[in-house]
Amino acid sequence: MRRVLVDHANRARRMKRNVDARDLAAEVAGEIPPPMDFDVVALDDALEGLQQLEPRLAQVIELHYFGGLTYDQIAVAVGASTATVHRDIRLARAWLLNEIGGTGPHESSRRARVA
């Protein structure tokens, strides 16, 4: 699934460079999926980096987000507790967001409280 998303993002980038009226009309008609809100290629690169540093963290992210497994199912697959999977996913998400330069959903509210 991860490869499919990355290939789709690469195709979308190529299409953006060659957009004409027909492509725009096809997108509006729903024949071409709308662009994603984040850079899938950057996410893929970040996941590769995480894989080198912490293979289990990358594995739990792939199983949860790309495989659709629940925390309990992931725990069985990787031989860890559900609590460990939960911690791994939180840590991996934070690391990935930092790598791709994104902010978490609550980051702006934290900054507002600190300021």
Side-chain angles (χ1 to χ4, degrees):
M1 182 54 133
R2 178 175 159 195
R3 278 290 124 214
V4 171
L5 290 173
V6 172
D7 290 344
H8 174 73
N10 283 327
R11 235 184 345 268
R13 280 185 177 174
R14 283 192 300 275
M15 286 176 52
K16 276 186 175 182
R17 284 179 261 164
N18 299 320
V19 172
D20 64 13
R22 287 175 295 148
D23 290 336
L24 185 58
E27 185 172 340
V28 170
E31 296 168 11
I32 300 173
M36 296 187 170
D37 290 345
F38 63 94
D39 188 347
V40 175
V41 176
L43 176 60
D44 183 56
D45 291 342
L47 270 171
E48 291 294 327
L50 183 59
Q51 177 69 36
Q52 297 300 313
L53 295 172
E54 295 288 341
R56 188 179 77 204
L57 296 183
Q59 183 183 18
V60 297
I61 287 291
E62 288 180 341
L63 291 172
H64 185 62
Y65 290 102
F66 296 105
L69 274 63
T70 65
Y71 287 10
D72 292 332
Q73 292 168 328
I74 296 167
V76 170
V78 300
S81 70
T82 304
T84 298
V85 169
H86 181 72
R87 279 190 304 272
D88 285 352
I89 288 175
R90 288 178 51 206
L91 178 60
R93 283 185 65 221
W95 190 90
L96 290 168
L97 283 170
N98 186 56
E99 277 297 301
I100 61 177
T103 58
H106 306 293
E107 189 65 28
S108 60
S109 63
R110 279 191 209 131
R111 286 184 185 158
R113 282 183 276 168
V114 171

